[in-house]
Amino acid sequence: MILKILLIAAVIAAVYFMFFKTKPAVQKSTKKEPKRKPTAADVNDMTECATCGVYVEVKEAILSNGKYYCSRECLKKAN
Ligand SMILES: [Zn+2]
């Protein structure tokens, strides 16, 4: 009776160990997908300078009359 319980416990432990082993692999694959999405969002955050055509981040770009400029010099050139 005790041997049967030990055998069942060993099987459960083996199955649990297998699940535990495969889980990190699944987490790694799911982690890769969100990593790709922010890079795509980063590309979307890039905008072209209306004067020189250089790509700059929207955060760093200067917005004037609905157009983005990479620097104040380009903004002056446009105006
Ligand atoms: Zn520019």
Coordinates of all heavy atoms in Angstrom, one line a residue:
M1 N 0.8 -1.2 0.0 CA 0.0 0.0 0.0 C 0.9 1.3 0.0 O 0.6 2.1 -0.8 CB -0.9 0.0 1.3 CG -2.0 1.0 1.2 SD -3.3 0.6 -0.1 CE -4.4 2.0 0.2
I2 N 1.8 1.3 0.9 CA 2.8 2.4 0.9 C 3.6 2.5 -0.4 O 3.8 3.6 -0.9 CB 3.7 2.3 2.2 CG1 2.8 2.5 3.4 CG2 4.8 3.3 2.1 CD1 3.5 1.9 4.7
L3 N 3.9 1.4 -0.9 CA 4.7 1.4 -2.1 C 3.9 1.9 -3.3 O 4.4 2.6 -4.2 CB 5.1 -0.1 -2.4 CG 6.6 -0.2 -2.8 CD1 7.3 -1.2 -1.9 CD2 6.7 -0.7 -4.2
K4 N 2.6 1.6 -3.3 CA 1.7 2.1 -4.4 C 1.6 3.6 -4.3 O 1.6 4.3 -5.3 CB 0.3 1.5 -4.2 CG -0.1 0.6 -5.3 CD -1.5 0.2 -5.2 CE -2.0 -0.7 -6.4 NZ -3.4 -1.2 -6.2
I5 N 1.5 4.1 -3.1 CA 1.4 5.6 -2.8 C 2.6 6.3 -3.3 O 2.6 7.3 -4.0 CB 1.0 5.9 -1.4 CG1 -0.4 5.5 -1.0 CG2 1.2 7.4 -1.1 CD1 -0.7 5.2 0.5
L6 N 3.8 5.6 -3.0 CA 5.1 6.2 -3.4 C 5.2 6.2 -4.9 O 5.7 7.2 -5.5 CB 6.2 5.3 -2.7 CG 6.6 5.7 -1.3 CD1 7.5 4.6 -0.7 CD2 7.2 7.1 -1.2
L7 N 4.7 5.1 -5.5 CA 4.8 5.0 -7.0 C 3.9 6.1 -7.6 O 4.3 6.8 -8.6 CB 4.3 3.6 -7.4 CG 4.7 3.2 -8.8 CD1 6.2 2.7 -8.8 CD2 3.8 2.2 -9.4
I8 N 2.7 6.3 -7.1 CA 1.8 7.4 -7.6 C 2.4 8.7 -7.4 O 2.4 9.6 -8.3 CB 0.4 7.2 -6.9 CG1 -0.3 6.0 -7.4 CG2 -0.4 8.5 -7.2 CD1 -1.4 5.5 -6.5
A9 N 3.0 8.9 -6.2 CA 3.7 10.2 -5.9 C 4.8 10.4 -6.9 O 5.0 11.6 -7.3 CB 4.1 10.2 -4.5
A10 N 5.5 9.4 -7.2 CA 6.7 9.5 -8.1 C 6.2 9.9 -9.5 O 6.8 10.7 -10.2 CB 7.4 8.2 -8.1
V11 N 5.1 9.3 -9.9 CA 4.5 9.6 -11.3 C 4.0 11.0 -11.3 O 4.3 11.8 -12.2 CB 3.4 8.6 -11.6 CG1 2.6 9.0 -12.8 CG2 3.9 7.2 -11.8
I12 N 3.3 11.4 -10.2 CA 2.8 12.8 -10.1 C 4.0 13.8 -10.2 O 4.0 14.8 -10.9 CB 2.0 13.0 -8.9 CG1 0.6 12.3 -9.1 CG2 1.7 14.5 -8.6 CD1 -0.1 12.0 -7.8
A13 N 5.1 13.4 -9.4 CA 6.3 14.3 -9.4 C 6.9 14.4 -10.7 O 7.4 15.4 -11.1 CB 7.2 13.7 -8.3
A14 N 6.9 13.2 -11.4 CA 7.5 13.2 -12.8 C 6.7 14.1 -13.8 O 7.3 14.8 -14.5 CB 7.6 11.8 -13.3
V15 N 5.4 14.0 -13.7 CA 4.5 14.8 -14.6 C 4.7 16.2 -14.2 O 4.8 17.1 -15.1 CB 3.1 14.3 -14.4 CG1 2.1 15.2 -15.1 CG2 2.9 12.9 -15.0
Y16 N 4.7 16.5 -12.9 CA 4.8 17.9 -12.4 C 6.2 18.5 -12.9 O 6.3 19.7 -13.3 CB 4.7 17.9 -10.9 CG 4.6 19.3 -10.3 CD1 3.3 19.9 -10.3 CD2 5.7 20.0 -9.8 CE1 3.2 21.2 -9.8 CE2 5.5 21.3 -9.3 CZ 4.3 21.8 -9.3 OH 4.1 23.1 -8.8
F17 N 7.2 17.7 -12.8 CA 8.6 18.1 -13.2 C 8.6 18.4 -14.7 O 9.2 19.3 -15.2 CB 9.6 17.0 -12.8 CG 11.0 17.5 -13.0 CD1 11.5 18.4 -12.1 CD2 11.8 17.0 -14.0 CE1 12.9 18.8 -12.2 CE2 13.1 17.4 -14.2 CZ 13.6 18.3 -13.3
M18 N 7.9 17.5 -15.5 CA 7.8 17.7 -16.9 C 7.1 19.0 -17.3 O 7.5 19.8 -18.2 CB 7.1 16.5 -17.6 CG 8.0 15.4 -17.9 SD 7.2 13.9 -18.4 CE 6.8 14.3 -20.1
F19 N 6.0 19.3 -16.6 CA 5.3 20.5 -16.8 C 6.1 21.7 -16.4 O 6.1 22.8 -17.1 CB 4.0 20.5 -15.9 CG 2.8 20.0 -16.7 CD1 2.4 18.7 -16.7 CD2 2.1 20.9 -17.5 CE1 1.3 18.3 -17.4 CE2 1.0 20.5 -18.3 CZ 0.6 19.2 -18.2
F20 N 6.9 21.6 -15.3 CA 7.7 22.6 -14.8 C 8.8 22.9 -15.8 O 9.3 24.1 -15.9 CB 8.3 22.2 -13.4 CG 8.6 23.4 -12.6 CD1 7.7 24.2 -12.0 CD2 10.0 23.7 -12.4 CE1 8.0 25.3 -11.2 CE2 10.3 24.8 -11.6 CZ 9.4 25.6 -11.0
K21 N 9.3 21.9 -16.4 CA 10.4 22.0 -17.4 C 9.9 22.7 -18.7 O 10.7 23.5 -19.3 CB 11.0 20.6 -17.7 CG 12.3 20.4 -17.1 CD 13.0 19.1 -17.7 CE 14.4 19.0 -17.3 NZ 15.0 17.8 -17.8
T22 N 8.7 22.4 -19.1 CA 8.2 22.9 -20.4 C 7.7 24.4 -20.2 O 7.6 25.1 -21.1 CB 7.1 22.0 -21.0 OG1 6.1 21.8 -19.9 CG2 7.6 20.7 -21.4
K23 N 7.3 24.7 -19.0 CA 6.7 26.0 -18.7 C 7.7 27.2 -19.0 O 7.3 28.1 -19.7 CB 6.2 26.1 -17.3 CG 4.7 26.1 -17.2 CD 4.2 26.5 -15.8 CE 2.7 26.6 -15.8 NZ 2.2 27.0 -14.4
P24 N 8.9 27.1 -18.6 CA 9.8 28.2 -18.9 C 10.0 28.4 -20.4 O 10.2 29.5 -20.9 CB 11.1 27.8 -18.2 CG 10.7 26.9 -17.1 CD 9.5 26.2 -17.7
A25 N 10.0 27.3 -21.2 CA 10.2 27.4 -22.6 C 9.0 28.1 -23.2 O 9.2 28.9 -24.2 CB 10.3 26.0 -23.2
V26 N 7.8 27.9 -22.7 CA 6.6 28.6 -23.2 C 6.7 30.0 -22.9 O 6.4 30.9 -23.7 CB 5.3 27.9 -22.7 CG1 4.1 28.7 -23.1 CG2 5.2 26.5 -23.1
Q27 N 7.2 30.3 -21.7 CA 7.3 31.7 -21.2 C 8.3 32.5 -22.1 O 8.1 33.6 -22.3 CB 7.7 31.7 -19.7 CG 6.5 31.6 -18.8 CD 6.9 31.6 -17.4 OE1 8.0 31.3 -17.0 NE2 5.9 31.9 -16.5
K28 N 9.4 31.8 -22.5 CA 10.4 32.4 -23.3 C 9.8 32.8 -24.6 O 10.1 33.8 -25.2 CB 11.6 31.4 -23.4 CG 12.6 31.6 -22.3 CD 13.8 30.7 -22.6 CE 14.8 30.8 -21.4 NZ 15.9 29.8 -21.6
S29 N 9.0 31.9 -25.2 CA 8.5 32.1 -26.5 C 7.4 33.2 -26.5 O 7.3 34.0 -27.4 CB 7.8 30.8 -27.1 OG 6.7 30.5 -26.3
T30 N 6.7 33.3 -25.4 CA 5.7 34.4 -25.3 C 6.4 35.7 -24.9 O 5.9 36.8 -25.3 CB 4.7 34.1 -24.2 OG1 5.3 33.7 -23.0 CG2 3.7 33.0 -24.6
K31 N 7.6 35.6 -24.3 CA 8.3 36.9 -24.0 C 8.9 37.5 -25.2 O 9.0 38.7 -25.3 CB 9.5 36.5 -23.0 CG 9.1 36.8 -21.6 CD 10.3 36.6 -20.7 CE 9.9 36.8 -19.2 NZ 11.1 36.6 -18.3
K32 N 9.2 36.7 -26.2 CA 9.8 37.2 -27.5 C 8.8 38.0 -28.2 O 9.1 39.0 -28.9 CB 10.2 36.0 -28.3 CG 11.6 35.6 -28.0 CD 12.1 34.5 -28.9 CE 13.5 34.0 -28.6 NZ 13.9 32.8 -29.4
E33 N 7.5 37.7 -28.2 CA 6.5 38.4 -29.0 C 6.3 39.8 -28.4 O 6.3 40.7 -29.2 CB 5.2 37.6 -29.0 CG 5.2 36.5 -30.0 CD 4.0 35.6 -30.0 OE1 2.9 36.1 -29.6 OE2 4.1 34.4 -30.2
P34 N 6.1 40.0 -27.1 CA 6.0 41.4 -26.7 C 7.2 42.2 -26.9 O 7.1 43.4 -27.1 CB 5.7 41.2 -25.2 CG 5.2 39.8 -25.0 CD 6.0 39.1 -26.0
K35 N 8.4 41.5 -27.0 CA 9.6 42.3 -27.3 C 9.6 42.8 -28.7 O 10.1 43.9 -28.9 CB 10.8 41.3 -27.1 CG 11.5 41.6 -25.8 CD 12.8 40.8 -25.7 CE 13.6 41.1 -24.5 NZ 14.9 40.3 -24.4
R36 N 9.0 42.1 -29.6 CA 9.0 42.5 -31.0 C 8.0 43.7 -31.2 O 8.2 44.5 -32.0 CB 8.6 41.4 -31.9 CG 9.7 40.4 -32.2 CD 9.3 39.3 -33.1 NE 10.3 38.2 -33.2 CZ 10.1 37.1 -33.7 NH1 8.9 36.8 -34.2 NH2 11.0 36.2 -33.8
K37 N 6.9 43.6 -30.4 CA 5.9 44.6 -30.5 C 6.4 46.0 -30.1 O 6.1 47.0 -30.9 CB 4.6 44.3 -29.7 CG 3.7 43.3 -30.5 CD 2.6 42.8 -29.6 CE 1.8 41.7 -30.3 NZ 0.8 41.1 -29.5
P38 N 7.1 46.2 -29.0 CA 7.6 47.5 -28.7 C 8.6 48.1 -29.8 O 8.6 49.2 -30.0 CB 8.4 47.3 -27.4 CG 7.7 46.1 -26.8 CD 7.4 45.2 -28.0
T39 N 9.4 47.1 -30.4 CA 10.3 47.6 -31.5 C 9.5 48.2 -32.6 O 9.8 49.1 -33.3 CB 11.2 46.5 -31.9 OG1 10.4 45.4 -32.3 CG2 12.2 46.2 -30.9
A40 N 8.3 47.5 -32.9 CA 7.5 48.0 -34.0 C 6.8 49.3 -33.6 O 6.7 50.2 -34.4 CB 6.4 47.0 -34.3
A41 N 6.5 49.5 -32.3 CA 6.0 50.8 -31.8 C 7.1 51.8 -31.9 O 6.8 53.0 -32.1 CB 5.5 50.6 -30.4
D42 N 8.3 51.4 -31.6 CA 9.4 52.4 -31.7 C 9.6 52.9 -33.1 O 9.9 54.1 -33.3 CB 10.7 51.7 -31.3 CG 10.8 51.5 -29.8 OD1 10.0 52.2 -29.1 OD2 11.6 50.7 -29.3
V43 N 9.3 52.0 -34.1 CA 9.4 52.5 -35.5 C 8.3 53.5 -35.8 O 8.5 54.4 -36.5 CB 9.4 51.2 -36.4 CG1 9.2 51.7 -37.9 CG2 10.6 50.4 -36.2
N44 N 7.1 53.2 -35.2 CA 6.0 54.1 -35.4 C 6.2 55.4 -34.7 O 5.6 56.4 -35.2 CB 4.7 53.4 -34.8 CG 4.3 52.2 -35.7 OD1 4.6 52.1 -36.8 ND2 3.6 51.3 -35.0
D45 N 7.1 55.4 -33.7 CA 7.3 56.7 -33.0 C 8.4 57.6 -33.8 O 8.6 58.7 -33.4 CB 7.9 56.4 -31.6 CG 6.7 56.0 -30.7 OD1 5.6 56.4 -30.9 OD2 7.0 55.2 -29.7
M46 N 8.9 57.0 -34.8 CA 9.9 57.7 -35.6 C 9.1 58.6 -36.7 O 8.1 58.1 -37.2 CB 10.9 56.8 -36.3 CG 11.7 56.0 -35.4 SD 12.9 56.9 -34.4 CE 14.2 57.2 -35.7
T47 N 9.6 59.8 -36.9 CA 9.0 60.6 -37.9 C 10.0 61.3 -38.8 O 11.2 61.5 -38.3 CB 8.1 61.7 -37.2 OG1 7.4 62.4 -38.2 CG2 8.9 62.6 -36.4
E48 N 9.7 61.6 -39.9 CA 10.6 62.2 -40.9 C 10.7 63.7 -40.8 O 9.6 64.3 -40.7 CB 10.2 61.8 -42.3 CG 11.4 62.0 -43.3 CD 11.0 61.5 -44.7 OE1 9.9 60.9 -44.8 OE2 11.8 61.7 -45.6
C49 N 11.9 64.3 -40.8 CA 12.0 65.7 -40.7 C 11.5 66.3 -42.0 O 11.8 65.8 -43.1 CB 13.5 66.1 -40.5 SG 13.8 67.8 -40.6
A50 N 10.6 67.3 -41.9 CA 10.0 67.9 -43.1 C 11.0 68.6 -44.0 O 10.8 68.8 -45.2 CB 8.9 68.8 -42.7
T51 N 12.2 69.0 -43.4 CA 13.1 69.7 -44.2 C 14.2 68.9 -44.8 O 14.5 68.9 -46.0 CB 13.8 70.8 -43.3 OG1 12.8 71.7 -42.8 CG2 14.8 71.7 -44.1
C52 N 14.9 68.1 -43.9 CA 16.1 67.3 -44.4 C 15.8 65.8 -44.6 O 16.6 65.1 -45.1 CB 17.3 67.5 -43.5 SG 17.0 66.8 -41.8
G53 N 14.7 65.4 -44.1 CA 14.3 64.0 -44.3 C 14.9 63.0 -43.3 O 14.8 61.8 -43.5
V54 N 15.6 63.5 -42.3 CA 16.2 62.7 -41.3 C 15.1 62.1 -40.4 O 14.2 62.9 -40.0 CB 17.2 63.4 -40.5 CG1 17.6 62.7 -39.2 CG2 18.5 63.7 -41.4
Y55 N 15.2 60.9 -40.0 CA 14.2 60.3 -39.1 C 14.6 60.6 -37.7 O 15.7 60.3 -37.3 CB 14.1 58.8 -39.4 CG 13.2 58.4 -40.5 CD1 13.8 58.3 -41.8 CD2 11.9 58.3 -40.4 CE1 13.0 58.0 -42.9 CE2 11.1 58.0 -41.5 CZ 11.6 57.9 -42.7 OH 10.8 57.6 -43.8
V56 N 13.6 61.2 -37.0 CA 13.9 61.5 -35.6 C 12.7 60.9 -34.8 O 11.6 60.7 -35.3 CB 14.0 63.0 -35.4 CG1 15.3 63.6 -35.9 CG2 12.8 63.7 -36.0
E57 N 13.0 60.7 -33.5 CA 11.9 60.3 -32.6 C 10.9 61.4 -32.4 O 11.3 62.6 -32.3 CB 12.5 59.9 -31.2 CG 13.1 58.5 -31.3 CD 13.6 58.0 -29.9 OE1 12.8 58.2 -29.0 OE2 14.8 57.6 -29.8
V58 N 9.6 61.0 -32.3 CA 8.6 62.0 -32.2 C 8.8 62.8 -30.9 O 8.5 64.0 -30.9 CB 7.2 61.3 -32.2 CG1 6.1 62.3 -31.8 CG2 6.9 60.6 -33.5
K59 N 9.3 62.1 -29.9 CA 9.5 62.8 -28.6 C 10.5 63.9 -28.8 O 10.4 65.0 -28.1 CB 10.0 61.8 -27.5 CG 9.0 60.8 -27.1 CD 9.6 59.8 -26.2 CE 8.7 58.6 -26.0 NZ 9.5 57.5 -25.3
E60 N 11.6 63.7 -29.6 CA 12.7 64.6 -29.7 C 12.4 65.6 -30.9 O 13.0 66.7 -31.0 CB 14.0 63.9 -30.0 CG 14.5 63.1 -28.8 CD 15.7 62.3 -29.1 OE1 16.3 62.5 -30.1 OE2 15.9 61.3 -28.3
A61 N 11.4 65.3 -31.7 CA 11.2 66.2 -32.9 C 10.4 67.4 -32.5 O 9.7 67.4 -31.5 CB 10.3 65.4 -33.9
I62 N 10.6 68.5 -33.3 CA 9.9 69.7 -33.0 C 8.7 69.8 -33.9 O 8.8 69.7 -35.2 CB 10.9 70.9 -33.3 CG1 12.1 70.9 -32.4 CG2 10.1 72.2 -33.1 CD1 13.3 71.6 -32.9
L63 N 7.6 69.9 -33.3 CA 6.3 70.0 -34.1 C 5.9 71.4 -34.4 O 5.8 72.2 -33.5 CB 5.2 69.2 -33.3 CG 3.8 69.2 -33.9 CD1 3.9 68.4 -35.2 CD2 2.8 68.6 -33.0
S64 N 5.7 71.7 -35.7 CA 5.3 73.0 -36.0 C 4.4 73.0 -37.3 O 4.8 72.4 -38.3 CB 6.6 73.9 -36.4 OG 6.2 75.2 -36.8
N65 N 3.3 73.5 -37.2 CA 2.2 73.5 -38.2 C 1.9 72.1 -38.7 O 1.8 71.9 -39.9 CB 2.7 74.4 -39.4 CG 2.9 75.9 -39.0 OD1 2.1 76.4 -38.2 ND2 3.9 76.5 -39.5
G66 N 1.9 71.2 -37.8 CA 1.6 69.8 -38.2 C 2.7 69.0 -38.8 O 2.5 67.9 -39.3
K67 N 3.9 69.6 -38.9 CA 5.1 68.9 -39.4 C 6.1 68.8 -38.4 O 6.3 69.7 -37.5 CB 5.6 69.7 -40.7 CG 4.7 69.5 -41.9 CD 5.3 70.4 -43.0 CE 4.4 70.2 -44.3 NZ 4.9 71.1 -45.4
Y68 N 6.9 67.7 -38.5 CA 8.0 67.5 -37.6 C 9.3 67.9 -38.1 O 9.6 67.7 -39.3 CB 8.0 66.0 -37.2 CG 6.9 65.6 -36.3 CD1 5.7 64.9 -36.8 CD2 6.9 65.8 -34.9 CE1 4.7 64.6 -36.0 CE2 5.9 65.4 -34.1 CZ 4.8 64.8 -34.6 OH 3.8 64.4 -33.8
Y69 N 10.1 68.4 -37.3 CA 11.5 68.8 -37.7 C 12.5 68.3 -36.7 O 12.2 68.2 -35.5 CB 11.6 70.4 -37.7 CG 10.6 71.0 -38.7 CD1 9.4 71.4 -38.2 CD2 10.9 71.1 -40.0 CE1 8.4 72.0 -39.1 CE2 10.0 71.7 -40.9 CZ 8.8 72.1 -40.5 OH 7.9 72.6 -41.3
C70 N 13.7 67.9 -37.2 CA 14.7 67.3 -36.4 C 15.4 68.3 -35.5 O 15.9 68.0 -34.5 CB 15.7 66.5 -37.3 SG 16.7 67.6 -38.3
S71 N 15.5 69.5 -36.0 CA 16.2 70.5 -35.2 C 15.6 71.9 -35.5 O 14.7 72.1 -36.4 CB 17.7 70.5 -35.6 OG 17.8 70.9 -37.0
R72 N 16.0 72.9 -34.7 CA 15.5 74.2 -34.9 C 16.0 74.8 -36.2 O 15.3 75.7 -36.8 CB 16.0 75.1 -33.7 CG 15.2 74.8 -32.4 CD 15.7 75.7 -31.3 NE 15.0 75.4 -30.0 CZ 15.3 76.0 -28.9 NH1 16.2 76.9 -28.8 NH2 14.7 75.6 -27.8
E73 N 17.1 74.4 -36.6 CA 17.7 74.9 -37.9 C 16.8 74.5 -39.0 O 16.5 75.3 -39.9 CB 19.1 74.3 -38.1 CG 20.1 75.0 -37.3 CD 21.5 74.3 -37.4 OE1 21.8 73.8 -38.5 OE2 22.2 74.4 -36.4
C74 N 16.3 73.3 -39.0 CA 15.4 72.8 -40.1 C 14.0 73.5 -40.0 O 13.4 73.8 -41.0 CB 15.1 71.3 -39.9 SG 16.5 70.3 -40.6
L75 N 13.6 73.8 -38.8 CA 12.4 74.6 -38.6 C 12.5 76.0 -39.1 O 11.6 76.5 -39.8 CB 12.1 74.6 -37.1 CG 10.8 75.4 -36.6 CD1 9.6 74.7 -37.2 CD2 10.7 75.5 -35.1
K76 N 13.7 76.6 -39.0 CA 13.9 77.9 -39.5 C 14.0 77.9 -41.0 O 13.4 78.8 -41.7 CB 15.3 78.5 -39.0 CG 15.2 79.1 -37.6 CD 16.6 79.5 -37.1 CE 16.5 80.0 -35.7 NZ 17.9 80.3 -35.2
K77 N 14.6 76.8 -41.6 CA 14.6 76.7 -43.0 C 13.2 76.5 -43.6 O 13.0 77.1 -44.7 CB 15.5 75.4 -43.4 CG 17.0 75.7 -43.3 CD 17.7 74.4 -43.7 CE 19.2 74.5 -43.4 NZ 19.9 73.3 -43.6
A78 N 12.4 75.8 -42.9 CA 11.0 75.6 -43.4 C 10.2 76.9 -43.4 O 9.4 77.2 -44.2 CB 10.4 74.5 -42.5
N79 N 10.5 77.7 -42.4 CA 9.8 79.0 -42.3 C 10.6 80.0 -43.0 O 10.2 81.0 -43.4 CB 9.7 79.4 -40.8 CG 8.8 78.4 -40.0 OD1 7.8 77.8 -40.6 ND2 9.0 78.2 -38.8
Ligands
ZN1 ZN 16.0 68.2 -40.4

